[in-house]
Amino acid sequence: MMETIWQSISTLPGYLVDANKRIFWLYLASAVAMAFFVYYATSQSRSVKGFWQFLFPRSVWLHESAKQDYGLFIINRIIKALTFAPIVLTMVPVAIGISDALEILFGPPLQLQWPPFVVVALFTLMLFLVDDLTRYLLHLALHKVPCLWEIHKVHHSAKVLTPFTIYRSHPIESYFYACRMALTQGIVVGLGYFFFGSALSMFDILGANAFVFVFNICGSNLRHSHIWFSWGDKLEGWFISPAQHQIHHSDNPKHFDTNIGSALAIWDRLAGSLIRASEAKSISIGVGKYDAGHDSLWAIYYKPVIESCKAMMPKKMLKKKKSS
């Protein structure tokens, strides 16, 4: 067990050099560059010291909520290694199941002889689109289903936002997302095999899906930050900007359950839940006037489970418990 824990902790610095992780150094560097433009445009007196203070205010990075995020980043990695990592849904059986189902319905695999460039481009695009859609659907469920919301509330109980807030989640939610990823990849690989055969590959940049890389390099780390960065109304009708995601974290009831999408804004636009940055000039971060009570790491782990179980209980049973 101790060896597993140590291996989990020792891999954390690798997040900085892995293009599939949000805090990859190049994504962080691009966020700093974009933050500089915000600083230059909004500050009257400009200096290196001023930019440093703008980028790393103590009130944000040393806030108790931020400290919880740092702790969760480490502890959740250990929990994942010790518990659900070996039992998470994997891509291979899903891909085989999809391929087999298509064969039953439509006959032998088509294995179309399209130009390799076209096949790779389609496969890369499908991975991105299906991943973004399933992300949206799971995120929507986490907001709309009461027992799931109690779990997801961990993420929204952040009082301040830093790039590490992306890792502020309950292990149960992390398990859902891990299974979602396997399901997504399995569906796309299964479809790809049926139509094009086993020679599937994607366009990647440093090992990451090219579309995901571009999304992350365009300020993804500013989504969880105190720096307001809008892309303008036109672009924000198609892609979720950092400012739009900050609106998603707003404690204003008008902003609840909005901008649920990850990279693409089209899902929210279709659902009528899209808000552009120009429509919300000033926000504060949190879950609203009813505090989640996530005042410690221990509370963050145990309270969502209790509240989720309560949310699943019939209302009659809850009334009886209160009256007794």
Side-chain angles (χ1 to χ4, degrees), residues 5-6 29 38 61 165 176 201 220 244 251 278 303-304:
I5 292 174
W6 170 245
V38 176
W61 290 85
T165 307
F176 290 154
S201 61
S220 64
Q244 282 176 293
D251 64 1
S278 61
K303 190 164 186 178

mmCIF file of all heavy atoms in Angstrom, residues 5-6 29 38 61 165 176 201 220 244 251 278 303-304:
data_model
loop_
_atom_site.group_PDB
_atom_site.id
_atom_site.type_symbol
_atom_site.label_atom_id
_atom_site.label_comp_id
_atom_site.label_asym_id
_atom_site.label_seq_id
_atom_site.Cartn_x
_atom_site.Cartn_y
_atom_site.Cartn_z
ATOM 1 N N ILE A 5 0.977 4.360 -2.702
ATOM 2 C CA ILE A 5 0.798 5.771 -2.322
ATOM 3 C C ILE A 5 1.977 6.598 -2.805
ATOM 4 O O ILE A 5 1.807 7.688 -3.380
ATOM 5 C CB ILE A 5 0.638 5.896 -0.787
ATOM 6 C CG1 ILE A 5 -0.688 5.273 -0.345
ATOM 7 C CG2 ILE A 5 0.714 7.362 -0.358
ATOM 8 C CD1 ILE A 5 -0.870 5.206 1.149
ATOM 9 N N TRP A 6 3.171 6.088 -2.590
ATOM 10 C CA TRP A 6 4.358 6.837 -3.012
ATOM 11 C C TRP A 6 4.412 6.984 -4.533
ATOM 12 O O TRP A 6 4.737 8.054 -5.050
ATOM 13 C CB TRP A 6 5.615 6.140 -2.508
ATOM 14 C CG TRP A 6 6.873 6.726 -3.105
ATOM 15 C CD1 TRP A 6 7.749 6.119 -3.938
ATOM 16 C CD2 TRP A 6 7.352 8.064 -2.930
ATOM 17 N NE1 TRP A 6 8.754 6.979 -4.299
ATOM 18 C CE2 TRP A 6 8.535 8.180 -3.695
ATOM 19 C CE3 TRP A 6 6.896 9.168 -2.211
ATOM 20 C CZ2 TRP A 6 9.272 9.366 -3.744
ATOM 21 C CZ3 TRP A 6 7.621 10.354 -2.276
ATOM 22 C CH2 TRP A 6 8.792 10.439 -3.037
ATOM 23 N N ALA A 29 1.766 28.459 -19.447
ATOM 24 C CA ALA A 29 2.492 29.581 -20.047
ATOM 25 C C ALA A 29 1.572 30.417 -20.928
ATOM 26 O O ALA A 29 1.629 31.657 -20.914
ATOM 27 C CB ALA A 29 3.686 29.071 -20.841
ATOM 28 N N VAL A 38 -4.596 41.104 -20.328
ATOM 29 C CA VAL A 38 -5.651 41.631 -19.457
ATOM 30 C C VAL A 38 -5.058 42.666 -18.509
ATOM 31 O O VAL A 38 -5.636 43.751 -18.309
ATOM 32 C CB VAL A 38 -6.320 40.492 -18.656
ATOM 33 C CG1 VAL A 38 -7.345 41.053 -17.680
ATOM 34 C CG2 VAL A 38 -6.969 39.482 -19.589
ATOM 35 N N TRP A 61 -4.544 32.807 -3.904
ATOM 36 C CA TRP A 61 -3.706 31.606 -3.877
ATOM 37 C C TRP A 61 -3.476 31.055 -2.466
ATOM 38 O O TRP A 61 -3.157 29.873 -2.318
ATOM 39 C CB TRP A 61 -2.371 31.882 -4.555
ATOM 40 C CG TRP A 61 -2.523 32.046 -6.030
ATOM 41 C CD1 TRP A 61 -2.845 33.197 -6.694
ATOM 42 C CD2 TRP A 61 -2.418 31.028 -7.030
ATOM 43 N NE1 TRP A 61 -2.930 32.958 -8.051
ATOM 44 C CE2 TRP A 61 -2.665 31.648 -8.286
ATOM 45 C CE3 TRP A 61 -2.116 29.673 -6.994
ATOM 46 C CZ2 TRP A 61 -2.624 30.934 -9.485
ATOM 47 C CZ3 TRP A 61 -2.079 28.967 -8.195
ATOM 48 C CH2 TRP A 61 -2.332 29.595 -9.418
ATOM 49 N N THR A 165 -8.299 24.256 -9.187
ATOM 50 C CA THR A 165 -9.707 23.999 -8.899
ATOM 51 C C THR A 165 -10.287 22.961 -9.845
ATOM 52 O O THR A 165 -11.291 22.325 -9.534
ATOM 53 C CB THR A 165 -10.520 25.311 -8.980
ATOM 54 O OG1 THR A 165 -9.911 26.298 -8.142
ATOM 55 C CG2 THR A 165 -11.950 25.113 -8.495
ATOM 56 N N PHE A 176 -17.012 8.755 -12.070
ATOM 57 C CA PHE A 176 -17.968 8.948 -13.166
ATOM 58 C C PHE A 176 -17.260 9.445 -14.420
ATOM 59 O O PHE A 176 -17.520 8.970 -15.532
ATOM 60 C CB PHE A 176 -19.051 9.959 -12.764
ATOM 61 C CG PHE A 176 -20.013 9.463 -11.725
ATOM 62 C CD1 PHE A 176 -20.669 10.347 -10.886
ATOM 63 C CD2 PHE A 176 -20.269 8.112 -11.582
ATOM 64 C CE1 PHE A 176 -21.562 9.904 -9.928
ATOM 65 C CE2 PHE A 176 -21.155 7.647 -10.627
ATOM 66 C CZ PHE A 176 -21.802 8.550 -9.791
ATOM 67 N N SER A 201 -5.851 6.186 -36.138
ATOM 68 C CA SER A 201 -4.937 7.068 -35.413
ATOM 69 C C SER A 201 -5.516 8.471 -35.440
ATOM 70 O O SER A 201 -6.430 8.758 -36.227
ATOM 71 C CB SER A 201 -3.535 7.056 -36.039
ATOM 72 O OG SER A 201 -3.589 7.522 -37.384
ATOM 73 N N SER A 220 -7.296 27.750 -21.249
ATOM 74 C CA SER A 220 -8.147 26.888 -20.423
ATOM 75 C C SER A 220 -7.887 27.075 -18.937
ATOM 76 O O SER A 220 -8.801 26.942 -18.118
ATOM 77 C CB SER A 220 -7.952 25.418 -20.809
ATOM 78 O OG SER A 220 -6.634 24.982 -20.541
ATOM 79 N N GLN A 244 -16.883 32.845 -19.403
ATOM 80 C CA GLN A 244 -18.155 32.127 -19.361
ATOM 81 C C GLN A 244 -18.135 31.008 -18.327
ATOM 82 O O GLN A 244 -19.138 30.756 -17.662
ATOM 83 C CB GLN A 244 -18.485 31.547 -20.744
ATOM 84 C CG GLN A 244 -19.031 32.567 -21.728
ATOM 85 C CD GLN A 244 -19.239 31.964 -23.096
ATOM 86 O OE1 GLN A 244 -18.271 31.604 -23.771
ATOM 87 N NE2 GLN A 244 -20.479 31.830 -23.526
ATOM 88 N N ASP A 251 -22.307 32.620 -7.772
ATOM 89 C CA ASP A 251 -23.279 32.303 -6.723
ATOM 90 C C ASP A 251 -24.609 33.020 -6.937
ATOM 91 O O ASP A 251 -25.495 32.978 -6.080
ATOM 92 C CB ASP A 251 -22.705 32.630 -5.336
ATOM 93 C CG ASP A 251 -22.425 34.119 -5.145
ATOM 94 O OD1 ASP A 251 -22.694 34.916 -6.074
ATOM 95 O OD2 ASP A 251 -21.928 34.497 -4.065
ATOM 96 N N SER A 278 -20.618 39.197 -21.755
ATOM 97 C CA SER A 278 -21.160 40.558 -21.782
ATOM 98 C C SER A 278 -22.469 40.676 -21.015
ATOM 99 O O SER A 278 -22.897 41.782 -20.667
ATOM 100 C CB SER A 278 -21.384 41.003 -23.230
ATOM 101 O OG SER A 278 -22.319 40.158 -23.885
ATOM 102 N N LYS A 303 -19.330 14.698 3.806
ATOM 103 C CA LYS A 303 -20.628 15.368 3.753
ATOM 104 C C LYS A 303 -21.385 15.121 2.447
ATOM 105 O O LYS A 303 -22.601 14.852 2.477
ATOM 106 C CB LYS A 303 -20.455 16.866 3.999
ATOM 107 C CG LYS A 303 -21.785 17.585 4.200
ATOM 108 C CD LYS A 303 -21.617 18.957 4.804
ATOM 109 C CE LYS A 303 -22.983 19.544 5.106
ATOM 110 N NZ LYS A 303 -22.886 20.867 5.747
ATOM 111 N N PRO A 304 -20.724 15.178 1.278
ATOM 112 C CA PRO A 304 -21.465 14.910 0.042
ATOM 113 C C PRO A 304 -22.098 13.520 -0.001
ATOM 114 O O PRO A 304 -23.188 13.350 -0.562
ATOM 115 C CB PRO A 304 -20.382 15.049 -1.040
ATOM 116 C CG PRO A 304 -19.389 15.976 -0.456
ATOM 117 C CD PRO A 304 -19.342 15.627 0.996
#
